[in-house]
């Protein structure tokens, strides 16, 4: 068993065509994909964030990681989900002020089903099925949206979305100037 050191990855900033692309299903689990999941978890914790999807680090595969444990001192619960899909969603909805590591410093209210049942393949290749509520439900839906090229700003009114996109384009120009 080769041991890999996790390595932080760069997070793509909106607008970027890779963030609007539907990611490909994972055909076979591999050590490379497990390394990617570990790198994504390290990147997520460092951000900090509570979720991250592979397209956000430029990999168009259906893999997300999340750890929405909020209680201080509670043990972390890092989850890696391959080919996750929502199989049931409550009619009841919740509103949460969402952010996104690919759209820095922007927070807007998004309404989503309060509870979702998700099926996925875990890092051992086992089929998993679990029902999430609260922040976990919001986060797993936000991440699965990323796999379908959908960003939380797509739920906002067009004018507001355009304003945010222009703001991100300005930020990217400034970041590029700093690097130059
Ligand atoms: O996908 C991402 O960009 C990671 C988001 C996931 C997320 C956004 C909104 C609501 C739940 C999850 C990052 O975690 S944004 C940072 C953050 C941290 C704590 C709570 C909410 C958002
Ligand atoms: Zn996001």
């Amino acid at each position: 068993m080769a041991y890999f050191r996790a390595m932080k990855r760069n997070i793509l900033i909106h607008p970027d065509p890779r963030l609007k692309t539907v990611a490909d299903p994972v055909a076979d689990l591999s050590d490379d994909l497990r390394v990617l999941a570990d790198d994504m978890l390290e990147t997520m914790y460092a951000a900090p964030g509570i979720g991250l999807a592979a397209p956000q680090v430029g990999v168009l595969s259906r893999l997300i990681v999340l750890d929405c444990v909020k209680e201080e001192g509670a043990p972390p619960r890092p989850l890696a989900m391959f080919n996750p899909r929502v199989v049931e969603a409550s009619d009841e909805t919740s509103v949460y002020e969402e952010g996104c590591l690919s759209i820095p410093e922007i927070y807007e209210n998004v309404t989503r089903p309060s509870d979702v049942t998700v099926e996925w393949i875990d890092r051992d290749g086992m089929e998993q099925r679990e029902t999430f509520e609260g922040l976990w439900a919001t986060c797993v839906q936000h991440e699965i949206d990323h796999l379908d090229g959908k960003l939380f700003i797509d739920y906002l009114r067009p004018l507001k979305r355009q304003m945010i996109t222009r703001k991100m384009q300005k930020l990217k120009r400034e970041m590029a100037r700093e690097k130059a």
Side-chain angles (χ1 to χ4, degrees):
M1 155 83 180
Y3 288 87
F4 302 90
R5 247 191 56 70
M7 181 196 68
K8 234 160 57 84
R9 304 282 181 112
N10 288 329
I11 295 176
L12 300 180
I13 303 297
H14 169 74
D16 185 308
R18 290 164 289 183
L19 293 172
K20 302 300 287 173
T21 305
V22 176
D24 299 317
V26 166
D28 303 298
L29 258 183
S30 67
D31 278 349
D32 283 357
L33 281 168
R34 289 186 189 89
V35 166
L36 173 61
D38 291 341
D39 289 354
M40 285 170 59
L41 280 164
E42 170 163 348
T43 304
M44 178 192 81
Y45 286 123
I50 56 173
L52 193 64
Q56 292 183 275
V57 295
V59 178
L60 299 184
S61 296
R62 299 187 78 81
L63 162 58
I64 64 174
V65 296
L66 57 157
D67 180 356
C68 310
V69 171
K70 273 192 319 182
E71 297 70 39
E72 283 305 306
R77 187 194 175 193
L79 276 185
M81 297 184 174
F82 297 92
N83 300 336
R85 62 195 182 285
V86 174
V87 293
E88 280 168 23
S90 59
D91 294 333
E92 188 199 355
T93 61
S94 300
V95 182
Y96 192 91
E97 192 180 45
E98 298 195 14
C100 182
L101 296 175
S102 296
I103 311 177
E105 319 283 314
I106 302 291
Y107 296 93
E108 294 290 343
N109 284 343
V110 177
T111 302
R112 298 181 189 270
S114 303
D115 308 329
V116 285
T117 301
V118 180
E119 286 182 358
W120 71 95
I121 310 283
D122 68 13
R123 62 184 331 136
D124 302 324
M126 303 291 289
E127 279 274 353
Q128 297 293 344
R129 177 188 171 100
E130 184 167 339
T131 299
F132 297 96
E133 58 185 34
L135 185 55
W136 284 89
T138 297
C139 183
V140 74
Q141 292 176 82
H142 177 112
E143 302 312 330
I144 292 176
D145 269 357
H146 272 300
L147 301 182
D148 295 327
K150 203 165 172 64
L151 300 172
F152 82 94
I153 57 172
D154 295 336
Y155 295 98
L156 307 180
R157 289 192 307 278
L159 225 51
K160 175 156 260 191
R161 181 166 57 250
Q162 285 155 21
M163 184 200 72
I164 292 168
T165 299
R166 270 201 296 278
K167 214 167 163 185
M168 290 297 114
Q169 286 167 323
K170 183 168 174 289
L171 174 73
K172 288 176 81 165
R173 281 198 300 274
E174 284 158 6
M175 284 162 69
R177 258 203 298 279
E178 269 164 37
K179 281 215 180 83

